[in-house]
Amino acid sequence: MITKQRPPVIQVQNLVKRFGNFIANDNLNFDVAQGEIFGFLGANGAGKTTAIKILCGLMTPTSGQISVAGFDVYRQTDQIKKQIGYMSQKFSMYEDLTVKENFQFYGGIYGLSNIVIRERTAEMLDKLQMSGIKNKTLNEIPLGWKQKLAFSVAMIHRPLIVFLDEPTGGVDPITRRQFWEMIYEAANNGITVFVTTHYMDEAEYCERVSIMVDGRIEALDTPKNLREQQGVSSMNEVFIKLARKQNLNNG
Amino acid sequence: MMKGFIVKEFLHIFRDRRTMLILFGMPIVQVLLFGFAITNEINNAQIAILDHSKDNVTTAITAKMLASGYFQLNKQLESSDQIASVFQNGEVKEVIVFEPDFAQKISKNHTAKVQIITDASDPNSANLLASYTSAILMDYVGEFSSIRPLPVNLSTQTSMLYNPELKGVFMFVPGTITILLMLISAMMTSISIAREKEMGTMEVLLVSHLKPLQIIIGKVIPYILLSFVNALVILFLAATVFHMPMNGSMILLLSESMLFIIMALSMGIFISTISNTQQTAMLLSMFVLMLPTILLSGFIFPIENMPVPLQLLSNIMPSKWFIIIVKSIMLKGLGIAYFWKETIILAGMMSAFVFLSAKKFKIRLA
C-alpha cells in the first residue's frame, strides 16, 4: 500500500551475483519507494554488503535488471553516483581532519561550490548542536557524534537515496535513538533510506524489512506483518525463526 | 573538485608528524649519513710493500703512493712468506710487490711487473684499493712516458676517470637521490592509498562520482611536488656540504628526475592495489622496492662485481638506469645524447607501470 502511493526509486529484478562458485546474491527481487525507510537485514555473510555495493555502482552484478534512481547499474553508474549518499560499515571520515575540513572535502568531491558547502555545513552542525566543535579533528570526538556527522556528510549533496551500511555499530542506545530521529527526518524530506543493521529493535523502526539468509531474501514485509506471519512478538524472534529454518533445511 | 582533494592530501601529510619526519628529516639525515659515515672513500689505508729490487723507480713509486694520502705504510716486508701473516693479523689491507730488477727491466724491456694483493674479505674496499693503486701506477707511468716513450702493461679502471679526487661521496649522492625519490614516491603513496582503504574512506570516495583517475591524480600530485622539493634539498646539500660538482644541465637532471618520480609513483599505486592495509603496503614497498634498489642498483655494490644472474637481474631495476643518468649529468656533464638509451628504458618502465596501475586500480572497482 505504501509503494503504490510513491514511485519506486530502486527496482531490483532477478539480481544474481556470483564469485566463482559462490553465490552471494541469489535471485533478489524488491522495489524501494521514494521516501521509504527500507531495512536490509541478515546475518554476517548473508550477502547484504554485496547487494549494497551493486546498488551503489561499486560492483557489477552477474545478471538481473537493476535500476537506481531511474538509472541502470550496468551502464549509468556515473549518474547513479550523483544521486546517492553512502555511509559505510567502517567509519568513513578522515580522523586527522577537522569537522569543517571533512565537510569541505566531501562537499568538494560532490562538486558543490564553496558557498553552498559553507551554508550547508553551518546548517547541519547547527541542527546537530555541534557548531562548537567544527575546528576539532575527528579523533578528538566521541564515536556516537562522529556517526551523526558521517550521516550528515553523506547527505551534504542532498541525494535522492542514502545507503547506510550498519551505521549504528558500536554506538550507545541514546545516540542510536538520536540517529534514528535523523533518519526519520531525512525520510520525511523525501529521501529514501536504505539501511542495514544487526539490531533487531532498529528493524522495528523501518517501514519495510527484508531478511536475507544465505544470499536469498527469505522475507520482505512491514515489521508488523512479519511478526504476524511468523506468529511471534518481536523482530528478533522473526529473524531467529527464519535463520533457523534455513539451517534446518541445510542440515 | 580536484583542488579540494589535493588540499586534503596535503593536510594529511602536514598533520602527521611521522610522515613529515620521513619526508623532510630523512633526506637530510640520509645524505649526511651516506656522505660522512658510509662512504667508500679510502683514507690512510694500511699497506705493506715487498720490494724485491729497491731501486730508484720502486722508491719513487712508493713515495708517490704514500704521498697520495690514501695509503699509509705499515710495514716493509722482506720475503713473500710474510705476506700471509700480515693479512692474517689484519695489519694491512693491501700488499704491493715489486719484482726484482724493476728499474732495469723497465729500461731494457719497457715492462715490469707489480703485484697488487688485497684483502678481499671486504670486497668493496679491496676493489677500491686496487683501483687506487693502479691509478697511481698509471699516473707514474704517464710521467715517465713524458720523458721517453714506454709501453704500458698496467690497466686502470676507467670508472675513476670522472672522479679524479676519488671521492666516494660523489658516488653516493646519485644513489641517495634515487633511494629517497623511490622511498617517498612509491612507499608514501602506496601507504596513503592503503590507509584510505583501511579506514573505509576509499569506499566513500569510490561511491562519489570522482573518477578513479581523478582519485589517483589527487593522491599523487602532492607527492610529486614533495619529491621534487626533496630532490632539490638533496642537491643543495650535496653542493654546499660536499662540494659535489654539477657539471651538466640542471633542467635535464630535473626532467629525468620527474620521469623517475612518476615511475616510482605508479609503482606505489600498483602496490596499493594489491595491499589492503598500510602495513602490507609498507612491507611490500620495503621488500619489493627498497631492498632491491639498494642492493642491485649499483648504489652500494658495484654491478660488475656481482654474479652474472644478479647482473642480469639488475637490468630490471629502474634505479640502476636512473643512477647512471644522474652520474652522467652531475659528474660527467653529459647531455641526453649520451644516455638516451637509459632514458628510453626508464620511460618504457614508466609507461608500463602507469598502464598497469591504472588498469589494476579500475579492476578493483568493478
Side-chain angles (χ1 to χ4, degrees):
Chain A
M1 62 198 176
I2 300 158
T3 40
K4 270 169 203 154
Q5 293 163 351
R6 299 173 294 188
V9 286
I10 301 176
Q11 290 172 293
V12 177
Q13 281 167 30
N14 309 322
L15 162 59
V16 175
K17 177 69 185 179
R18 279 201 197 89
F19 296 102
N21 288 327
F22 176 69
I23 301 175
N25 289 162
D26 188 359
N27 204 26
L28 306 186
N29 288 283
F30 60 89
D31 285 353
V32 181
Q34 195 186 339
E36 188 176 4
I37 301 174
F38 188 85
F40 207 55
L41 273 59
N44 290 330
K48 288 173 297 176
T49 302
T50 307
I52 283 203
K53 283 195 169 154
I54 289 169
L55 294 176
C56 291
L58 284 183
M59 238 182 226
T60 12
T62 311
S63 65
Q65 282 92 51
I66 302 112
S67 81
V68 175
F71 298 109
D72 179 53
V73 296
Y74 294 94
R75 291 173 291 111
Q76 297 171 304
T77 48
D78 280 355
Q79 285 97 319
I80 290 176
K81 284 175 178 178
K82 283 183 188 152
Q83 303 299 332
I84 61 171
Y86 175 78
M87 179 179 163
S88 80
Q89 218 162 22
K90 289 184 214 164
F91 179 66
S92 48
M93 287 164 88
Y94 294 96
E95 293 276 327
D96 54 343
L97 300 188
T98 65
V99 174
K100 210 170 92 188
E101 285 161 354
N102 267 294
F103 277 82
Q104 271 166 352
F105 171 67
Y106 282 112
I109 63 174
Y110 279 105
L112 303 181
S113 73
N114 284 337
I115 303 164
V116 174
I117 295 173
R118 225 173 297 146
E119 276 172 15
R120 290 193 188 167
T121 307
E123 184 191 317
M124 284 169 158
L125 289 180
D126 213 39
K127 215 183 276 170
L128 292 172
Q129 299 181 318
M130 291 189 197
S131 305
I133 55 160
K134 65 177 180 206
N135 288 323
K136 285 206 177 205
T137 54
L138 268 271
N139 49 24
E140 301 172 273
I141 296 173
L143 180 69
W145 297 27
K146 288 197 274 196
Q147 301 294 78
K148 287 193 257 179
L149 287 168
F151 183 60
S152 303
V153 158
M155 308 240 289
I156 195 166
H157 57 298
R158 307 257 158 97
L160 214 55
I161 308 162
V162 59
F163 291 91
L164 308 174
D165 193 359
E166 286 172 24
T168 53
V171 172
D172 67 78
I174 296 166
T175 315
R176 264 167 62 198
R177 183 75 224 190
Q178 292 169 338
F179 198 88
W180 274 89
E181 277 164 19
M182 291 173 73
I183 292 179
Y184 272 109
E185 202 199 316
N188 280 336
N189 293 332
I191 296 173
T192 307
V193 181
F194 191 104
V195 58
T196 74
T197 180
H198 277 314
Y199 297 107
M200 289 306 142
D201 59 326
E202 289 187 348
E204 309 269 2
Y205 304 148
C206 300
E207 277 178 58
R208 284 190 306 150
V209 167
S210 77
I211 297 179
M212 276 191 86
V213 181
D214 289 339
R216 273 192 301 278
I217 292 182
E218 276 301 309
L220 198 171
D221 214 324
T222 62
K224 184 164 164 277
N225 288 350
L226 286 175
R227 288 196 307 265
E228 283 167 5
Q229 281 161 22
Q230 302 293 329
V232 293
S233 62
S234 72
M235 279 306 291
N236 205 15
E237 288 165 279
V238 172
F239 184 78
I240 290 171
K241 229 172 157 179
L242 287 170
R244 183 176 298 152
K245 191 179 97 197
Q246 190 59 38
N247 284 343
L248 288 176
N249 288 349
N250 289 349
Chain B
M1 236 156 55
M2 293 303 300
K3 205 188 104 210
F5 205 114
I6 294 164
V7 168
K8 176 210 97 163
E9 216 50 51
F10 269 118
L11 285 176
H12 285 321
I13 295 167
F14 291 140
R15 293 240 167 103
D16 185 18
R17 210 176 295 153
R18 275 178 307 176
T19 311
M20 286 297 278
L21 205 65
I22 292 180
L23 279 177
F24 295 103
M26 198 140 80
I28 296 170
V29 170
Q30 283 218 0
V31 170
L32 296 181
L33 208 65
F34 283 133
F36 281 125
I38 326 179
T39 58
N40 276 343
E41 207 173 326
I42 284 169
N43 280 314
N44 295 326
Q46 298 293 318
I47 60 165
I49 289 174
L50 175 54
D51 193 344
H52 287 299
S53 68
K54 290 201 179 82
D55 53 38
N56 58 333
V57 177
T58 61
T59 326
I61 292 177
T62 307
K64 194 173 167 58
M65 300 238 346
L66 299 180
S68 70
Y70 302 124
F71 305 100
Q72 204 163 43
L73 185 64
N74 184 285
K75 218 175 225 173
Q76 279 278 5
L77 304 183
E78 297 306 326
S79 79
S80 32
D81 305 337
Q82 288 172 287
I83 295 175
S85 73
V86 289
F87 275 127
Q88 276 158 12
N89 297 339
E91 288 168 56
V92 300
K93 294 266 179 214
E94 183 184 65
V95 174
I96 299 164
V97 186
F98 296 101
E99 66 172 334
D101 308 320
F102 201 84
Q104 266 188 340
K105 279 183 184 161
I106 283 189
S107 49
K108 258 196 232 155
N109 313 334
H110 304 296
T111 177
K113 286 188 184 120
V114 183
Q115 194 181 8
I116 301 165
I117 309 167
T118 52
D119 179 359
S121 60
D122 180 359
N124 284 315
S125 45
N127 189 33
L128 269 170
L129 277 172
S131 319
Y132 280 33
T133 313
S134 46
I136 291 169
L137 286 169
M138 282 303 291
D139 203 29
Y140 180 78
V141 169
E143 283 170 25
F144 213 77
S145 313
S146 60
I147 307 166
R148 52 184 180 145
L150 189 85
V152 172
N153 72 331
L154 286 166
S155 68
T156 189
Q157 292 210 336
T158 42
S159 61
M160 299 285 177
L161 208 62
Y162 301 104
N163 188 3
E165 291 170 80
L166 300 171
K167 280 211 171 171
V169 60
F170 292 175
M171 292 297 149
F172 270 98
V173 168
T176 313
I177 294 178
T178 311
I179 298 266
L180 284 169
L181 290 186
M182 191 70 129
L183 189 80
I184 290 157
S185 313
M187 192 159 110
M188 302 300 269
T189 19
S190 70
I191 290 176
S192 93
I193 295 178
R195 180 165 70 171
E196 301 249 8
K197 281 194 197 170
E198 209 177 316
M199 306 298 283
T201 45
M202 187 54 99
E203 276 181 20
V204 184
L205 294 182
L206 296 178
V207 172
S208 80
H209 56 279
L210 277 179
K211 300 248 183 319
L213 191 67
Q214 288 176 311
I215 297 177
I216 293 184
I217 292 174
K219 276 265 155 210
V220 146
I221 283 179
Y223 289 101
I224 291 186
L225 290 176
L226 290 173
S227 307
F228 216 70
V229 170
N230 259 304
L232 290 174
V233 168
I234 299 168
L235 290 176
F236 176 77
L237 279 178
T240 51
V241 182
F242 299 111
H243 308 290
M244 171 102 181
M246 178 62 215
N247 293 328
S249 148
M250 193 72 180
I251 293 164
L252 186 60
L253 181 65
L254 292 180
S255 348
E256 294 276 357
S257 306
M258 206 62 195
L259 193 66
F260 186 71
I261 289 171
I262 293 171
M263 195 233 41
L265 287 170
S266 37
M267 275 178 145
I269 294 164
F270 183 72
I271 286 178
S272 73
T273 60
I274 50 178
S275 42
N276 284 318
T277 64
Q278 297 179 65
Q279 239 176 353
T280 326
M282 185 144 119
L283 283 176
L284 269 176
S285 315
M286 271 313 219
F287 288 107
V288 179
L289 299 181
M290 296 310 297
L291 286 181
T293 302
I294 293 175
L295 299 177
L296 291 176
S297 64
F299 169 40
I300 292 179
F301 305 112
I303 291 171
E304 30 324 333
N305 287 7
M306 292 175 191
V308 179
L310 286 185
Q311 285 193 21
L312 292 176
L313 197 63
S314 76
N315 288 328
I316 62 165
M317 295 291 136
S319 33
K320 170 185 169 177
W321 307 107
F322 185 62
I323 289 181
I324 294 175
I325 292 171
V326 176
K327 281 184 183 171
S328 309
I329 298 174
M330 292 188 74
L331 297 176
K332 305 186 198 172
L334 298 176
I336 184 107
Y338 291 90
F339 45 80
W340 58 273
K341 253 190 279 176
E342 284 82 358
T343 309
I344 285 176
I345 292 172
L346 215 52
M349 286 175 167
M350 184 200 77
S351 337
F353 273 107
V354 167
F355 177 76
L356 257 178
S357 57
K359 200 165 171 230
K360 193 91 190 240
F361 203 80
K362 269 190 192 143
I363 288 170
R364 281 202 65 89
L365 316 181

